[in-house]
Amino acid sequence: MNEMFKEYMMNNASYVLKDADSEEVKLVKNKSNLLSKKVYVLTSSSLSVSPTLSIDIKGLKLIKEKEFKTYELCYMDKNITLALSEDIYADLCHIIKYYESILEDADIFYNHKDYKKALDLYIELYDQGYTDVLETIGDCYVGLHNIKKAIEIYEYILEEYKDQEQYYIKAKELFINKDYVKAYVYFKKANECGYTKACFYIGRIYHYGFVFDKDLNKAKKYYLESLNHYQDERIHYHMAVLYREIKDYENMHEHLNQSPKERIPYFKGKLYHKGIGVKKDLKKAKKYYEESLDYHHKAYYPLASICLEIRSYEDYFMYLNKAKDEGDKRVYNHLGLAYERGRGVKRDYEKAIYYYKEAMKDHNAHAYFNMARMYKEGKGVEKNLDEAIRLLEKSASLSYGGA
């Protein structure tokens, strides 16, 4: 249908001559008459404003029908006058509805994360001049894990930004929103333009595997490049994390001492909790974790873990609930265990099952294993060995060794 329509329009379209100094509208067939005038020309798939500016058909909506087969339409919030035959006008309305329906279908597939079907439709739209779907095409490639292709598209879109600061500002916005592939492209461009602050974020992208597989060598390179141009406590903190990972504890402590003060207690708590570069000391770990609560609340979960190790069950249960109140979903399986075994709280199989199921929603392998035990032993549920086996298999598929 579309190819036939294109051929039909090429052979039958009437062009509209609109004098720049008057409201007079004339029908013309000869394009040469249009070169010195401000005109709107209807062609096979686009509207052209003057011989040099082309805009696609997307967004065209009928406002009203004028006399003598002349129509006024709205495109990009601007009124455009077109002189058309009735047949061409009917075809124009038809093709607009056709592409609007394709766009609607594409958006539905995208929102349901069916990126392959969405991609095919968005590409069809882009080929017909719907240029504003290009970024979404890149997003589809991200969803399909074709990062190389997504980066190519995002780099192409970058041409609309004109200076290094714009690249950096846009990149930070994308990074905050966890749109890491686009953020990487913009930070990379900002860095190429000499905006070296971008190196810090590029380092983080490589460090934590936000876009590519983790690459600590590249992360270190970009962190150091950033530090060569300006000092920032945040860079020192991430350098300390990196050196902790590669077990360079001397450099780790050097950068940790220059990190933001609110991050140091939690970091030290983890060192003593896990025995990283220091002798394991749960008492010191607990002290540093508690000190870190003055700044943030992510220490509740490891504090619960320490209390479990030292069998301080009332504090264990207290910290689990504090972590839950802060939205930390990691505690659900532990709360299930607390209720199942009566750790710091009265035994309650019904509540244990509730929290195991909440943990299972986040694909927690331990929770599947624990729930399998409930079915095997008939705790709070009727014994069901088939269900127990199914849950054990699920736990094993999530790489839980206990299953």
Side-chain angles (χ1 to χ4, degrees), residues 280-293:
K280 184 173 180 176
D281 188 326
L282 295 181
K283 186 176 180 180
K284 284 186 177 180
K286 188 170 184 289
K287 170 183 171 292
Y288 281 118
Y289 281 146
E290 288 173 341
E291 187 179 325
S292 76
L293 293 174

Side-chain angles (χ1 to χ4, degrees), residues 360 363-373 375-376 384-403:
M360 286 160 61
H363 308 290
N364 186 302
H366 295 81
Y368 278 102
F369 180 83
N370 292 331
M371 195 65 211
R373 184 179 60 252
Y375 276 106
K376 179 185 176 184
N384 187 331
L385 292 180
D386 289 339
E387 181 65 5
I389 291 170
R390 185 188 73 81
L391 292 169
L392 282 173
E393 289 174 346
K394 179 66 176 178
S395 177
S397 73
L398 295 169
S399 303
Y400 177 48

Side-chain angles (χ1 to χ4, degrees), residues 117-183:
K117 290 182 180 177
L119 178 63
D120 292 341
L121 294 179
Y122 285 130
I123 288 175
E124 180 180 351
L125 290 165
Y126 183 76
D127 289 343
Q128 294 300 324
Y130 282 65
T131 54
D132 59 347
V133 302
L134 185 57
E135 185 171 340
T136 312
I137 290 175
D139 297 341
C140 286
Y141 280 117
V142 172
L144 293 168
H145 307 292
N146 190 339
I147 303 302
K148 182 179 179 181
K149 189 66 177 178
I151 288 175
E152 288 178 6
I153 290 172
Y154 296 147
E155 286 179 337
Y156 178 80
I157 296 171
L158 278 182
E159 297 306 316
E160 65 180 281
Y161 291 91
K162 304 301 181 184
D163 62 65
Q164 58 189 32
E165 188 172 6
Q166 280 188 315
Y167 292 131
Y168 181 73
I169 291 171
K170 178 67 175 178
K172 281 190 71 174
E173 176 187 330
L174 292 165
F175 189 89
I176 290 169
N177 291 324
K178 299 184 179 180
D179 196 344
Y180 295 121
V181 178
K182 285 185 208 169

Side-chain angles (χ1 to χ4, degrees), residues 33 84 133 152 341:
N33 294 337
L84 309 169
V133 302
E152 288 178 6
R341 298 178 180 177

